[in-house]
Amino acid sequence: MKRLIPAFLFIFLFASQGLAQTAVRIFYQDRSEVEPLFSNPDVMVDNVKPDTVIAYVFDKGMRYLDEKGYYYETFVVPCYRGQKLSTTSLYYPEYNEIRDTLHSFAENYPDLCRLDSLGPTQEGRWMYIMRITDNPDIQEDEPEFRYSSTMHGDEPVSVPFCIEFIKMLLTGYGTDTDITEFVNEIDMWVMPLYNPDGYEHTPSWQRTLSNGIDPNRNFPVPDGTRGGDDTYTVYQETQAFMDFCDERYFVASANFHTGALVVNYLWDYTSTRAPDDELLIAMSKGYSSRNEPMWTGSFTNGITNGHDWYEVKGSLQDWVYWQRSDMDFTIELSDTKAPPVSSLDGLWDDNRDAMFYLPQWVLRGIRGIVTDSITGEPLPATVSVEGIDKDVRCDPAVGDYHRILLNGFYNLTFSCPGYRTKTIVDVYADTIEATRLDVQLVPLGTSRIHGIALLPDATEHSGIQVQATSGDFTRTDITDPDGNYELTFLIPGDYTITASKEGYGDTTVSATIGDYDDLVENFTLYQIDTVYLVNTDFEMSAVLTETSGTEWEWGIPTSGPETAHSGVNCWATNLDGNYSDGAEAMLETDEYELPANATDAKLTFWHWYEFERGDSWPSYRRYDGGNVKIQVDGGEWTVITPEGGYDGTITSSNPYIGGEEGFNGETNGNHWHTEEFDLSAYTGHTVRIRFHFGCDTGTNSSGWY
Ligand SMILES: [Zn+2]
C-alpha cells in the first residue's frame, strides 16, 4: 500500500493549486478598495477600469471577495473558436487549422519563411513561430522583431491577425515595394498562438496555462520578488520562451492581448521609469496613432505605462527588456475580450497599418557591426549609450547591433571581454534610417613589458614584485629565481612600472605603451639601509635635466655604444656622432634630500665614454672629459670622486674642467660599466648631482653615454 502514497500526494498538490477560476467583474468607487487585490495571488487581475476590475479568481479568492464584502458579478467569455460566417472573412481558427496554415505557408514560400517551434506545451501542442525574411536560413546583419499572440488563451483576437500579417508579408513580397523592403531589411518572427492549451480549452477559452498558472505573471521579476502567480517556479512554456529569446537578439517586440484598447509600455513591476522611457512612449504612440479607436479611446493617446495602470509582477515585457534589452510592448486590441466573429474584419482594418509600422522602428537609431581589429571576426560586444542605462548586445553570429534611439547625438561605448573598450562620441541617431557605425575592437594582450629584476647582493632573484600601472589599470608579476618577469595583456597608455621587494628600495620607471609594443625594462634593487641617490644608467629621462650647453641628448644612441644599457633610450653627449669642439654641457638632478638616518648613501650609475687623450702613459694629456659634482644645501659645486678614483687630471687647456679630476681616455671607458660614489658624508643634507662634460678645441671623440 505504501506505493500509493506518492500518487495520493500528487493528486492532492495538483488540486490544491485551485485550477478552477471564475471570471469576475468587481465593482468599486475608490481605487483604494481594490488595491489589495493586485497583490493577492488568488485574484489574477486582468484589467482595471474606472469603476470595475476584471479578474480571474481561484476558489480561495472567491471566498476572500465574499469575506471582504466586495460587490462583484461573474461572467463567461463566450467561445467562438472555429465559428465561421459567410459575411466576413476572418474567424478564430482551431489549433489544427493554425498548424496546417503555417505549414502550408512554409511549403509555398520556402525562400521567405521558416516554421519553427519554441517547444511543446504541457498538453503536447506546439508553440509555433514563423520567421519571415529574405534568406531565412542565413543569419544576416538585420534587426529582429517578434510578435506573439494570445499568451492568455481567452484573448484570441490577434490569432487571426498574426496569420493575416504573415500572409500579407509573403504574398506582398516582390509586388508591394514597402512589403518587399520590410522583408528584405527585417528579420521578422510571428508567433500566432503562445498558449494553445488555453486557447483549445473546452468548453470555453481559458486564460491560463494548462496547470492554471497565468503565463504573464510567471516570468522572473527584475527586483527578484515573487511573480504575480505567487510562485518562483518558471513553468514549461515560460522556460521555452525565455530559452528562445536567449538564443536570439530581438531588438523590439510586442505581445498581443485583449480586454482593453491600449499600448501598455514597461515597466509593469515598478513605478520607476525605464531607461528608454521616452523611446518606449514614442514607439507606443506610433502604434496607437495608427489605430483610430485606440488613439481616441479611454486612455490618453491610447497608451499607458504598465505600472501606472496596475502593478503586475512577472510579466513577459518586463523580463524581455530586463534580460534581453528587447523593447517589448503589451498591446491590448479590444475592450471586449473575445469579440464576435463579425467584428474581426473591422478590427483587423484598425490594426493592419500599425502592425506593419511598429517593427520598422528596429531600422532606426544607430546600427553596425563590431569586429576584432586583427581577425575581422564578429564579436559578442556590448553597446552602451551614455545617459541610458540599458546596454544592447551584438549578435555574435554576425556581430551586428541595432540600438533604437530617438533623434539626437549620443556617445556610444563598445566593450567586449578581452578587448580594449572604445568610446565614440557625438554619433547622430536618425529616426528615418539608422546611422551606420561599424566598430573594430583591439584585442588585449598584444602589448607586453618584460625583463629582469636583480638583487645585486643575492644569488637568487625570485620574489620581486613588478607592477605596471596606468590609471586604474594594473598588471603585476613576481620574478622567478633568475629574476625574469613578464607583464602581458597591457592596454595602451602611460605606465609607471615599479619593482619592489621587502627590505629593498623600490625602483620605478615610466614608459608609454602602444597597441603592439614589446618593451624591455630591467631593474636592480638595493638593500634599503643604503640610500642610492641616482640609481640610473642614463636610461631615465625624468630624473636628469640639461642645465647648461646643448650637447646632452636623450634618445636612442647610434654612435658610441650604439645601444642603451637597458631599455632603448639613454642620455648622450651626442646620440649619433662625436661631441662638438669646444663644447661644455651639464646634466643635473633635482634636489634630493639624503635622509639623516641613512647608514650609508651612494650614487651609482652605468656609463660608457670615449674622450680625447694625447701622448702616452704616464704623461697623458687629457684634453677632454667629464666628472661628477655635488652641490650641498644650495652651496658651491665640488667634484666628488668614485670608488677607485677618476682616470686622471684633465689638462689645463680644457676651459671648463681643466685641472679637475675626471673621466678620460679612448679605450678604458668604452664599455658599459658602473661607478659608485660614497655620499655618506652628505646625509641629512639636500644635494644635487651634476654630470659635467667639457671639451677643448682641436680634436673630439664619441663622448659620454
Ligand atoms: Zn492578457
mmCIF file with all atom_site columns, all heavy atoms in Angstrom, residues 587-609:
data_model
loop_
_atom_site.group_PDB
_atom_site.id
_atom_site.type_symbol
_atom_site.label_atom_id
_atom_site.label_alt_id
_atom_site.label_comp_id
_atom_site.label_asym_id
_atom_site.label_entity_id
_atom_site.label_seq_id
_atom_site.pdbx_PDB_ins_code
_atom_site.Cartn_x
_atom_site.Cartn_y
_atom_site.Cartn_z
_atom_site.occupancy
_atom_site.B_iso_or_equiv
_atom_site.pdbx_formal_charge
_atom_site.auth_seq_id
_atom_site.auth_comp_id
_atom_site.auth_asym_id
_atom_site.auth_atom_id
_atom_site.pdbx_PDB_model_num
ATOM 1   N N   . LEU A 1 587 ? 74.506 68.060 -17.032 1.00 0.00 ? 587 LEU A N   1
ATOM 2   C CA  . LEU A 1 587 ? 73.271 67.312 -16.817 1.00 0.00 ? 587 LEU A CA  1
ATOM 3   C C   . LEU A 1 587 ? 73.107 67.213 -15.307 1.00 0.00 ? 587 LEU A C   1
ATOM 4   O O   . LEU A 1 587 ? 74.023 66.777 -14.614 1.00 0.00 ? 587 LEU A O   1
ATOM 5   C CB  . LEU A 1 587 ? 73.437 65.920 -17.436 1.00 0.00 ? 587 LEU A CB  1
ATOM 6   C CG  . LEU A 1 587 ? 72.212 65.078 -17.743 1.00 0.00 ? 587 LEU A CG  1
ATOM 7   C CD1 . LEU A 1 587 ? 71.285 65.794 -18.709 1.00 0.00 ? 587 LEU A CD1 1
ATOM 8   C CD2 . LEU A 1 587 ? 72.663 63.745 -18.350 1.00 0.00 ? 587 LEU A CD2 1
ATOM 9   N N   . GLU A 1 588 ? 71.941 67.661 -14.802 1.00 0.00 ? 588 GLU A N   1
ATOM 10  C CA  . GLU A 1 588 ? 71.818 67.741 -13.343 1.00 0.00 ? 588 GLU A CA  1
ATOM 11  C C   . GLU A 1 588 ? 70.548 67.066 -12.839 1.00 0.00 ? 588 GLU A C   1
ATOM 12  O O   . GLU A 1 588 ? 69.541 67.002 -13.539 1.00 0.00 ? 588 GLU A O   1
ATOM 13  C CB  . GLU A 1 588 ? 71.811 69.220 -12.902 1.00 0.00 ? 588 GLU A CB  1
ATOM 14  C CG  . GLU A 1 588 ? 73.146 69.899 -13.145 1.00 0.00 ? 588 GLU A CG  1
ATOM 15  C CD  . GLU A 1 588 ? 73.119 71.374 -12.774 1.00 0.00 ? 588 GLU A CD  1
ATOM 16  O OE1 . GLU A 1 588 ? 72.065 71.854 -12.315 1.00 0.00 ? 588 GLU A OE1 1
ATOM 17  O OE2 . GLU A 1 588 ? 74.156 72.032 -12.964 1.00 0.00 ? 588 GLU A OE2 1
ATOM 18  N N   . THR A 1 589 ? 70.628 66.624 -11.602 1.00 0.00 ? 589 THR A N   1
ATOM 19  C CA  . THR A 1 589 ? 69.444 66.075 -10.937 1.00 0.00 ? 589 THR A CA  1
ATOM 20  C C   . THR A 1 589 ? 68.685 67.200 -10.254 1.00 0.00 ? 589 THR A C   1
ATOM 21  O O   . THR A 1 589 ? 69.196 68.298 -10.081 1.00 0.00 ? 589 THR A O   1
ATOM 22  C CB  . THR A 1 589 ? 69.822 65.056 -9.846  1.00 0.00 ? 589 THR A CB  1
ATOM 23  O OG1 . THR A 1 589 ? 70.492 65.770 -8.792  1.00 0.00 ? 589 THR A OG1 1
ATOM 24  C CG2 . THR A 1 589 ? 70.719 63.968 -10.378 1.00 0.00 ? 589 THR A CG2 1
ATOM 25  N N   . ASP A 1 590 ? 67.442 66.881 -9.846  1.00 0.00 ? 590 ASP A N   1
ATOM 26  C CA  . ASP A 1 590 ? 66.709 67.779 -8.954  1.00 0.00 ? 590 ASP A CA  1
ATOM 27  C C   . ASP A 1 590 ? 67.346 67.702 -7.569  1.00 0.00 ? 590 ASP A C   1
ATOM 28  O O   . ASP A 1 590 ? 68.219 66.885 -7.321  1.00 0.00 ? 590 ASP A O   1
ATOM 29  C CB  . ASP A 1 590 ? 65.244 67.341 -8.855  1.00 0.00 ? 590 ASP A CB  1
ATOM 30  C CG  . ASP A 1 590 ? 64.504 67.633 -10.146 1.00 0.00 ? 590 ASP A CG  1
ATOM 31  O OD1 . ASP A 1 590 ? 64.972 68.497 -10.915 1.00 0.00 ? 590 ASP A OD1 1
ATOM 32  O OD2 . ASP A 1 590 ? 63.469 66.983 -10.375 1.00 0.00 ? 590 ASP A OD2 1
ATOM 33  N N   . GLU A 1 591 ? 66.825 68.549 -6.677  1.00 0.00 ? 591 GLU A N   1
ATOM 34  C CA  . GLU A 1 591 ? 67.298 68.474 -5.291  1.00 0.00 ? 591 GLU A CA  1
ATOM 35  C C   . GLU A 1 591 ? 66.844 67.169 -4.667  1.00 0.00 ? 591 GLU A C   1
ATOM 36  O O   . GLU A 1 591 ? 65.736 66.707 -4.917  1.00 0.00 ? 591 GLU A O   1
ATOM 37  C CB  . GLU A 1 591 ? 66.742 69.651 -4.485  1.00 0.00 ? 591 GLU A CB  1
ATOM 38  C CG  . GLU A 1 591 ? 67.401 70.964 -4.863  1.00 0.00 ? 591 GLU A CG  1
ATOM 39  C CD  . GLU A 1 591 ? 67.030 72.073 -3.890  1.00 0.00 ? 591 GLU A CD  1
ATOM 40  O OE1 . GLU A 1 591 ? 66.012 71.910 -3.186  1.00 0.00 ? 591 GLU A OE1 1
ATOM 41  O OE2 . GLU A 1 591 ? 67.760 73.072 -3.843  1.00 0.00 ? 591 GLU A OE2 1
ATOM 42  N N   . TYR A 1 592 ? 67.710 66.577 -3.887  1.00 0.00 ? 592 TYR A N   1
ATOM 43  C CA  . TYR A 1 592 ? 67.398 65.300 -3.267  1.00 0.00 ? 592 TYR A CA  1
ATOM 44  C C   . TYR A 1 592 ? 67.856 65.349 -1.827  1.00 0.00 ? 592 TYR A C   1
ATOM 45  O O   . TYR A 1 592 ? 69.000 65.694 -1.535  1.00 0.00 ? 592 TYR A O   1
ATOM 46  C CB  . TYR A 1 592 ? 68.110 64.168 -4.016  1.00 0.00 ? 592 TYR A CB  1
ATOM 47  C CG  . TYR A 1 592 ? 67.689 62.803 -3.561  1.00 0.00 ? 592 TYR A CG  1
ATOM 48  C CD1 . TYR A 1 592 ? 66.654 62.128 -4.208  1.00 0.00 ? 592 TYR A CD1 1
ATOM 49  C CD2 . TYR A 1 592 ? 68.320 62.190 -2.482  1.00 0.00 ? 592 TYR A CD2 1
ATOM 50  C CE1 . TYR A 1 592 ? 66.255 60.876 -3.784  1.00 0.00 ? 592 TYR A CE1 1
ATOM 51  C CE2 . TYR A 1 592 ? 67.924 60.942 -2.049  1.00 0.00 ? 592 TYR A CE2 1
ATOM 52  C CZ  . TYR A 1 592 ? 66.897 60.280 -2.699  1.00 0.00 ? 592 TYR A CZ  1
ATOM 53  O OH  . TYR A 1 592 ? 66.498 59.042 -2.274  1.00 0.00 ? 592 TYR A OH  1
ATOM 54  N N   . GLU A 1 593 ? 66.932 65.028 -0.932  1.00 0.00 ? 593 GLU A N   1
ATOM 55  C CA  . GLU A 1 593 ? 67.280 65.090 0.488   1.00 0.00 ? 593 GLU A CA  1
ATOM 56  C C   . GLU A 1 593 ? 67.765 63.719 0.934   1.00 0.00 ? 593 GLU A C   1
ATOM 57  O O   . GLU A 1 593 ? 67.025 62.739 0.877   1.00 0.00 ? 593 GLU A O   1
ATOM 58  C CB  . GLU A 1 593 ? 66.061 65.517 1.304   1.00 0.00 ? 593 GLU A CB  1
ATOM 59  C CG  . GLU A 1 593 ? 66.427 65.886 2.733   1.00 0.00 ? 593 GLU A CG  1
ATOM 60  C CD  . GLU A 1 593 ? 65.207 66.341 3.526   1.00 0.00 ? 593 GLU A CD  1
ATOM 61  O OE1 . GLU A 1 593 ? 64.333 66.997 2.931   1.00 0.00 ? 593 GLU A OE1 1
ATOM 62  O OE2 . GLU A 1 593 ? 65.131 66.009 4.718   1.00 0.00 ? 593 GLU A OE2 1
ATOM 63  N N   . LEU A 1 594 ? 69.028 63.656 1.359   1.00 0.00 ? 594 LEU A N   1
ATOM 64  C CA  . LEU A 1 594 ? 69.567 62.386 1.852   1.00 0.00 ? 594 LEU A CA  1
ATOM 65  C C   . LEU A 1 594 ? 69.138 62.225 3.305   1.00 0.00 ? 594 LEU A C   1
ATOM 66  O O   . LEU A 1 594 ? 69.466 63.073 4.132   1.00 0.00 ? 594 LEU A O   1
ATOM 67  C CB  . LEU A 1 594 ? 71.097 62.384 1.753   1.00 0.00 ? 594 LEU A CB  1
ATOM 68  C CG  . LEU A 1 594 ? 71.667 62.393 0.335   1.00 0.00 ? 594 LEU A CG  1
ATOM 69  C CD1 . LEU A 1 594 ? 73.196 62.498 0.391   1.00 0.00 ? 594 LEU A CD1 1
ATOM 70  C CD2 . LEU A 1 594 ? 71.260 61.147 -0.417  1.00 0.00 ? 594 LEU A CD2 1
ATOM 71  N N   . PRO A 1 595 ? 68.389 61.162 3.613   1.00 0.00 ? 595 PRO A N   1
ATOM 72  C CA  . PRO A 1 595 ? 67.884 61.007 4.985   1.00 0.00 ? 595 PRO A CA  1
ATOM 73  C C   . PRO A 1 595 ? 69.020 61.019 6.005   1.00 0.00 ? 595 PRO A C   1
ATOM 74  O O   . PRO A 1 595 ? 70.074 60.414 5.792   1.00 0.00 ? 595 PRO A O   1
ATOM 75  C CB  . PRO A 1 595 ? 67.187 59.647 4.953   1.00 0.00 ? 595 PRO A CB  1
ATOM 76  C CG  . PRO A 1 595 ? 66.894 59.396 3.506   1.00 0.00 ? 595 PRO A CG  1
ATOM 77  C CD  . PRO A 1 595 ? 67.972 60.066 2.736   1.00 0.00 ? 595 PRO A CD  1
ATOM 78  N N   . ALA A 1 596 ? 68.779 61.720 7.108   1.00 0.00 ? 596 ALA A N   1
ATOM 79  C CA  . ALA A 1 596 ? 69.811 61.841 8.142   1.00 0.00 ? 596 ALA A CA  1
ATOM 80  C C   . ALA A 1 596 ? 70.113 60.498 8.789   1.00 0.00 ? 596 ALA A C   1
ATOM 81  O O   . ALA A 1 596 ? 71.221 60.255 9.253   1.00 0.00 ? 596 ALA A O   1
ATOM 82  C CB  . ALA A 1 596 ? 69.357 62.847 9.203   1.00 0.00 ? 596 ALA A CB  1
ATOM 83  N N   . ASN A 1 597 ? 69.090 59.603 8.792   1.00 0.00 ? 597 ASN A N   1
ATOM 84  C CA  . ASN A 1 597 ? 69.291 58.333 9.495   1.00 0.00 ? 597 ASN A CA  1
ATOM 85  C C   . ASN A 1 597 ? 69.808 57.229 8.580   1.00 0.00 ? 597 ASN A C   1
ATOM 86  O O   . ASN A 1 597 ? 69.907 56.085 8.983   1.00 0.00 ? 597 ASN A O   1
ATOM 87  C CB  . ASN A 1 597 ? 67.993 57.893 10.173  1.00 0.00 ? 597 ASN A CB  1
ATOM 88  C CG  . ASN A 1 597 ? 66.873 57.716 9.163   1.00 0.00 ? 597 ASN A CG  1
ATOM 89  O OD1 . ASN A 1 597 ? 67.055 58.009 7.977   1.00 0.00 ? 597 ASN A OD1 1
ATOM 90  N ND2 . ASN A 1 597 ? 65.732 57.251 9.625   1.00 0.00 ? 597 ASN A ND2 1
ATOM 91  N N   . ALA A 1 598 ? 70.121 57.567 7.311   1.00 0.00 ? 598 ALA A N   1
ATOM 92  C CA  . ALA A 1 598 ? 70.652 56.538 6.416   1.00 0.00 ? 598 ALA A CA  1
ATOM 93  C C   . ALA A 1 598 ? 72.027 56.112 6.912   1.00 0.00 ? 598 ALA A C   1
ATOM 94  O O   . ALA A 1 598 ? 72.870 56.946 7.232   1.00 0.00 ? 598 ALA A O   1
ATOM 95  C CB  . ALA A 1 598 ? 70.744 57.071 4.994   1.00 0.00 ? 598 ALA A CB  1
ATOM 96  N N   . THR A 1 599 ? 72.231 54.808 7.008   1.00 0.00 ? 599 THR A N   1
ATOM 97  C CA  . THR A 1 599 ? 73.527 54.329 7.488   1.00 0.00 ? 599 THR A CA  1
ATOM 98  C C   . THR A 1 599 ? 74.568 54.408 6.385   1.00 0.00 ? 599 THR A C   1
ATOM 99  O O   . THR A 1 599 ? 75.754 54.353 6.627   1.00 0.00 ? 599 THR A O   1
ATOM 100 C CB  . THR A 1 599 ? 73.418 52.877 7.962   1.00 0.00 ? 599 THR A CB  1
ATOM 101 O OG1 . THR A 1 599 ? 72.878 52.096 6.892   1.00 0.00 ? 599 THR A OG1 1
ATOM 102 C CG2 . THR A 1 599 ? 72.501 52.778 9.170   1.00 0.00 ? 599 THR A CG2 1
ATOM 103 N N   . ASP A 1 600 ? 74.096 54.527 5.161   1.00 0.00 ? 600 ASP A N   1
ATOM 104 C CA  . ASP A 1 600 ? 75.006 54.573 4.028   1.00 0.00 ? 600 ASP A CA  1
ATOM 105 C C   . ASP A 1 600 ? 74.290 55.329 2.920   1.00 0.00 ? 600 ASP A C   1
ATOM 106 O O   . ASP A 1 600 ? 73.073 55.325 2.860   1.00 0.00 ? 600 ASP A O   1
ATOM 107 C CB  . ASP A 1 600 ? 75.329 53.139 3.571   1.00 0.00 ? 600 ASP A CB  1
ATOM 108 C CG  . ASP A 1 600 ? 76.607 53.095 2.751   1.00 0.00 ? 600 ASP A CG  1
ATOM 109 O OD1 . ASP A 1 600 ? 77.238 54.161 2.592   1.00 0.00 ? 600 ASP A OD1 1
ATOM 110 O OD2 . ASP A 1 600 ? 76.951 52.001 2.277   1.00 0.00 ? 600 ASP A OD2 1
ATOM 111 N N   . ALA A 1 601 ? 75.012 56.011 2.058   1.00 0.00 ? 601 ALA A N   1
ATOM 112 C CA  . ALA A 1 601 ? 74.390 56.700 0.929   1.00 0.00 ? 601 ALA A CA  1
ATOM 113 C C   . ALA A 1 601 ? 75.331 56.608 -0.253  1.00 0.00 ? 601 ALA A C   1
ATOM 114 O O   . ALA A 1 601 ? 76.521 56.871 -0.125  1.00 0.00 ? 601 ALA A O   1
ATOM 115 C CB  . ALA A 1 601 ? 74.109 58.157 1.272   1.00 0.00 ? 601 ALA A CB  1
ATOM 116 N N   . LYS A 1 602 ? 74.796 56.199 -1.384  1.00 0.00 ? 602 LYS A N   1
ATOM 117 C CA  . LYS A 1 602 ? 75.657 56.002 -2.547  1.00 0.00 ? 602 LYS A CA  1
ATOM 118 C C   . LYS A 1 602 ? 75.005 56.555 -3.798  1.00 0.00 ? 602 LYS A C   1
ATOM 119 O O   . LYS A 1 602 ? 73.785 56.584 -3.918  1.00 0.00 ? 602 LYS A O   1
ATOM 120 C CB  . LYS A 1 602 ? 75.925 54.505 -2.762  1.00 0.00 ? 602 LYS A CB  1
ATOM 121 C CG  . LYS A 1 602 ? 76.908 53.925 -1.768  1.00 0.00 ? 602 LYS A CG  1
ATOM 122 C CD  . LYS A 1 602 ? 77.044 52.432 -1.943  1.00 0.00 ? 602 LYS A CD  1
ATOM 123 C CE  . LYS A 1 602 ? 78.035 51.887 -0.903  1.00 0.00 ? 602 LYS A CE  1
ATOM 124 N NZ  . LYS A 1 602 ? 78.004 50.432 -0.856  1.00 0.00 ? 602 LYS A NZ  1
ATOM 125 N N   . LEU A 1 603 ? 75.845 56.970 -4.725  1.00 0.00 ? 603 LEU A N   1
ATOM 126 C CA  . LEU A 1 603 ? 75.403 57.304 -6.076  1.00 0.00 ? 603 LEU A CA  1
ATOM 127 C C   . LEU A 1 603 ? 75.997 56.248 -6.998  1.00 0.00 ? 603 LEU A C   1
ATOM 128 O O   . LEU A 1 603 ? 77.206 56.028 -6.987  1.00 0.00 ? 603 LEU A O   1
ATOM 129 C CB  . LEU A 1 603 ? 75.916 58.694 -6.477  1.00 0.00 ? 603 LEU A CB  1
ATOM 130 C CG  . LEU A 1 603 ? 75.902 59.014 -7.979  1.00 0.00 ? 603 LEU A CG  1
ATOM 131 C CD1 . LEU A 1 603 ? 74.472 59.110 -8.494  1.00 0.00 ? 603 LEU A CD1 1
ATOM 132 C CD2 . LEU A 1 603 ? 76.656 60.315 -8.250  1.00 0.00 ? 603 LEU A CD2 1
ATOM 133 N N   . THR A 1 604 ? 75.143 55.564 -7.732  1.00 0.00 ? 604 THR A N   1
ATOM 134 C CA  . THR A 1 604 ? 75.667 54.590 -8.696  1.00 0.00 ? 604 THR A CA  1
ATOM 135 C C   . THR A 1 604 ? 75.024 54.836 -10.041 1.00 0.00 ? 604 THR A C   1
ATOM 136 O O   . THR A 1 604 ? 73.895 55.309 -10.126 1.00 0.00 ? 604 THR A O   1
ATOM 137 C CB  . THR A 1 604 ? 75.367 53.133 -8.279  1.00 0.00 ? 604 THR A CB  1
ATOM 138 O OG1 . THR A 1 604 ? 73.978 52.908 -8.414  1.00 0.00 ? 604 THR A OG1 1
ATOM 139 C CG2 . THR A 1 604 ? 75.811 52.843 -6.869  1.00 0.00 ? 604 THR A CG2 1
ATOM 140 N N   . PHE A 1 605 ? 75.730 54.536 -11.088 1.00 0.00 ? 605 PHE A N   1
ATOM 141 C CA  . PHE A 1 605 ? 75.142 54.597 -12.432 1.00 0.00 ? 605 PHE A CA  1
ATOM 142 C C   . PHE A 1 605 ? 75.994 53.784 -13.396 1.00 0.00 ? 605 PHE A C   1
ATOM 143 O O   . PHE A 1 605 ? 77.162 53.493 -13.139 1.00 0.00 ? 605 PHE A O   1
ATOM 144 C CB  . PHE A 1 605 ? 75.000 56.046 -12.923 1.00 0.00 ? 605 PHE A CB  1
ATOM 145 C CG  . PHE A 1 605 ? 76.282 56.838 -12.941 1.00 0.00 ? 605 PHE A CG  1
ATOM 146 C CD1 . PHE A 1 605 ? 77.126 56.794 -14.057 1.00 0.00 ? 605 PHE A CD1 1
ATOM 147 C CD2 . PHE A 1 605 ? 76.648 57.629 -11.852 1.00 0.00 ? 605 PHE A CD2 1
ATOM 148 C CE1 . PHE A 1 605 ? 78.303 57.530 -14.072 1.00 0.00 ? 605 PHE A CE1 1
ATOM 149 C CE2 . PHE A 1 605 ? 77.822 58.359 -11.868 1.00 0.00 ? 605 PHE A CE2 1
ATOM 150 C CZ  . PHE A 1 605 ? 78.662 58.312 -12.974 1.00 0.00 ? 605 PHE A CZ  1
ATOM 151 N N   . TRP A 1 606 ? 75.355 53.397 -14.487 1.00 0.00 ? 606 TRP A N   1
ATOM 152 C CA  . TRP A 1 606 ? 76.062 52.744 -15.595 1.00 0.00 ? 606 TRP A CA  1
ATOM 153 C C   . TRP A 1 606 ? 76.465 53.814 -16.594 1.00 0.00 ? 606 TRP A C   1
ATOM 154 O O   . TRP A 1 606 ? 75.681 54.721 -16.872 1.00 0.00 ? 606 TRP A O   1
ATOM 155 C CB  . TRP A 1 606 ? 75.130 51.751 -16.301 1.00 0.00 ? 606 TRP A CB  1
ATOM 156 C CG  . TRP A 1 606 ? 74.823 50.508 -15.516 1.00 0.00 ? 606 TRP A CG  1
ATOM 157 C CD1 . TRP A 1 606 ? 73.868 50.346 -14.578 1.00 0.00 ? 606 TRP A CD1 1
ATOM 158 C CD2 . TRP A 1 606 ? 75.487 49.250 -15.637 1.00 0.00 ? 606 TRP A CD2 1
ATOM 159 N NE1 . TRP A 1 606 ? 73.875 49.077 -14.086 1.00 0.00 ? 606 TRP A NE1 1
ATOM 160 C CE2 . TRP A 1 606 ? 74.864 48.363 -14.724 1.00 0.00 ? 606 TRP A CE2 1
ATOM 161 C CE3 . TRP A 1 606 ? 76.554 48.765 -16.412 1.00 0.00 ? 606 TRP A CE3 1
ATOM 162 C CZ2 . TRP A 1 606 ? 75.256 47.034 -14.571 1.00 0.00 ? 606 TRP A CZ2 1
ATOM 163 C CZ3 . TRP A 1 606 ? 76.938 47.445 -16.263 1.00 0.00 ? 606 TRP A CZ3 1
ATOM 164 C CH2 . TRP A 1 606 ? 76.306 46.593 -15.346 1.00 0.00 ? 606 TRP A CH2 1
ATOM 165 N N   . HIS A 1 607 ? 77.673 53.731 -17.162 1.00 0.00 ? 607 HIS A N   1
ATOM 166 C CA  . HIS A 1 607 ? 78.016 54.658 -18.246 1.00 0.00 ? 607 HIS A CA  1
ATOM 167 C C   . HIS A 1 607 ? 79.058 54.053 -19.191 1.00 0.00 ? 607 HIS A C   1
ATOM 168 O O   . HIS A 1 607 ? 79.587 52.962 -18.981 1.00 0.00 ? 607 HIS A O   1
ATOM 169 C CB  . HIS A 1 607 ? 78.455 56.032 -17.698 1.00 0.00 ? 607 HIS A CB  1
ATOM 170 C CG  . HIS A 1 607 ? 79.782 56.036 -16.996 1.00 0.00 ? 607 HIS A CG  1
ATOM 171 N ND1 . HIS A 1 607 ? 80.525 57.174 -16.851 1.00 0.00 ? 607 HIS A ND1 1
ATOM 172 C CD2 . HIS A 1 607 ? 80.498 55.052 -16.392 1.00 0.00 ? 607 HIS A CD2 1
ATOM 173 C CE1 . HIS A 1 607 ? 81.646 56.884 -16.186 1.00 0.00 ? 607 HIS A CE1 1
ATOM 174 N NE2 . HIS A 1 607 ? 81.638 55.610 -15.896 1.00 0.00 ? 607 HIS A NE2 1
ATOM 175 N N   . TRP A 1 608 ? 79.293 54.799 -20.252 1.00 0.00 ? 608 TRP A N   1
ATOM 176 C CA  . TRP A 1 608 ? 80.187 54.409 -21.362 1.00 0.00 ? 608 TRP A CA  1
ATOM 177 C C   . TRP A 1 608 ? 80.803 55.702 -21.860 1.00 0.00 ? 608 TRP A C   1
ATOM 178 O O   . TRP A 1 608 ? 80.098 56.697 -22.028 1.00 0.00 ? 608 TRP A O   1
ATOM 179 C CB  . TRP A 1 608 ? 79.320 53.776 -22.455 1.00 0.00 ? 608 TRP A CB  1
ATOM 180 C CG  . TRP A 1 608 ? 80.024 53.145 -23.640 1.00 0.00 ? 608 TRP A CG  1
ATOM 181 C CD1 . TRP A 1 608 ? 80.128 51.823 -23.904 1.00 0.00 ? 608 TRP A CD1 1
ATOM 182 C CD2 . TRP A 1 608 ? 80.656 53.816 -24.744 1.00 0.00 ? 608 TRP A CD2 1
ATOM 183 N NE1 . TRP A 1 608 ? 80.786 51.593 -25.073 1.00 0.00 ? 608 TRP A NE1 1
ATOM 184 C CE2 . TRP A 1 608 ? 81.141 52.821 -25.621 1.00 0.00 ? 608 TRP A CE2 1
ATOM 185 C CE3 . TRP A 1 608 ? 80.898 55.154 -25.073 1.00 0.00 ? 608 TRP A CE3 1
ATOM 186 C CZ2 . TRP A 1 608 ? 81.821 53.106 -26.804 1.00 0.00 ? 608 TRP A CZ2 1
ATOM 187 C CZ3 . TRP A 1 608 ? 81.580 55.448 -26.248 1.00 0.00 ? 608 TRP A CZ3 1
ATOM 188 C CH2 . TRP A 1 608 ? 82.038 54.421 -27.106 1.00 0.00 ? 608 TRP A CH2 1
ATOM 189 N N   . TYR A 1 609 ? 82.145 55.734 -22.081 1.00 0.00 ? 609 TYR A N   1
ATOM 190 C CA  . TYR A 1 609 ? 82.709 57.006 -22.564 1.00 0.00 ? 609 TYR A CA  1
ATOM 191 C C   . TYR A 1 609 ? 83.970 56.801 -23.398 1.00 0.00 ? 609 TYR A C   1
ATOM 192 O O   . TYR A 1 609 ? 84.710 55.823 -23.236 1.00 0.00 ? 609 TYR A O   1
ATOM 193 C CB  . TYR A 1 609 ? 83.012 57.970 -21.402 1.00 0.00 ? 609 TYR A CB  1
ATOM 194 C CG  . TYR A 1 609 ? 83.977 57.440 -20.361 1.00 0.00 ? 609 TYR A CG  1
ATOM 195 C CD1 . TYR A 1 609 ? 85.366 57.531 -20.544 1.00 0.00 ? 609 TYR A CD1 1
ATOM 196 C CD2 . TYR A 1 609 ? 83.501 56.868 -19.188 1.00 0.00 ? 609 TYR A CD2 1
ATOM 197 C CE1 . TYR A 1 609 ? 86.245 57.057 -19.585 1.00 0.00 ? 609 TYR A CE1 1
ATOM 198 C CE2 . TYR A 1 609 ? 84.381 56.380 -18.223 1.00 0.00 ? 609 TYR A CE2 1
ATOM 199 C CZ  . TYR A 1 609 ? 85.755 56.476 -18.427 1.00 0.00 ? 609 TYR A CZ  1
ATOM 200 O OH  . TYR A 1 609 ? 86.609 56.002 -17.487 1.00 0.00 ? 609 TYR A OH  1
#
